[in-house]
Amino acid sequence: QVQLVESGGGLVQPGGSLRLSCAASGSIFSINAMGWYRQAPGKQRELVAAITSGASTNYVDSVKGRFTISRDNARNTVYLQMSSLKPEDTSVYYCNANIVVGETRRPLEVWGQGTLVTVSS
């Protein structure tokens, strides 16, 4: 099967930076869109940023100009560079990818386990 493993979360002061990584592994034929979502306590999960296989990107308005999503197709990895972090960015961040599975050649929606980002002084 396939899985996504995230890393890079932690505690950071307001105005600081963090870089999240998410690596896909398993039986992968190709990866279509990849993205980062977040969910704060008591709130719905929201799309933060997404990137297509052709490297087109989109962002939620609240992070535009502060966050950058990128991907390394050779490593099956997506990144989220977060700068000028604010307390309201505190959330569990989840990686998501649409992966074409090797054995079946069918797309599968896959989620990571989540990584906590806490922005606090």
Side-chain angles (χ1 to χ4, degrees):
Q1 274 295 350
V2 294
Q3 64 175 354
L4 298 173
V5 177
E6 300 136 339
S7 60
L11 173 65
V12 63
Q13 291 188 342
S17 298
L18 275 179
R19 188 195 197 204
L20 304 182
S21 301
C22 172
S25 62
S27 178
I28 298 170
F29 177 73
S30 63
I31 303 178
N32 297 319
M34 304 182 82
W36 289 95
Y37 289 71
R38 66 186 179 186
Q39 186 168 20
K43 295 188 176 181
Q44 288 191 329
R45 189 173 297 189
E46 68 169 351
L47 175 65
V48 176
I51 184 167
T52 67
S53 56
S56 295
T57 60
N58 68 282
Y59 300 89
V60 66
D61 286 346
S62 60
V63 308
K64 285 180 179 178
R66 300 188 298 121
F67 291 11
T68 301
I69 189 170
S70 61
R71 63 191 284 173
D72 182 338
N73 292 327
R75 298 176 185 269
N76 292 329
T77 299
V78 63
Y79 305 97
L80 186 68
Q81 178 66 48
M82 305 184 291
S83 303
S84 302
L85 282 160
K86 305 175 181 180
E88 51 264 43
D89 294 317
T90 296
S91 282
V92 177
Y93 284 71
Y94 297 91
C95 177
N96 171 271
N98 186 278
I99 297 175
V100 179
V101 178
E103 294 101 339
T104 64
R105 297 292 198 269
R106 291 182 177 178
L108 181 68
E109 200 76 12
V110 183
W111 289 89
Q113 80 283 2
T115 185
L116 177 62
V117 172
T118 303
V119 184
S120 175
S121 54

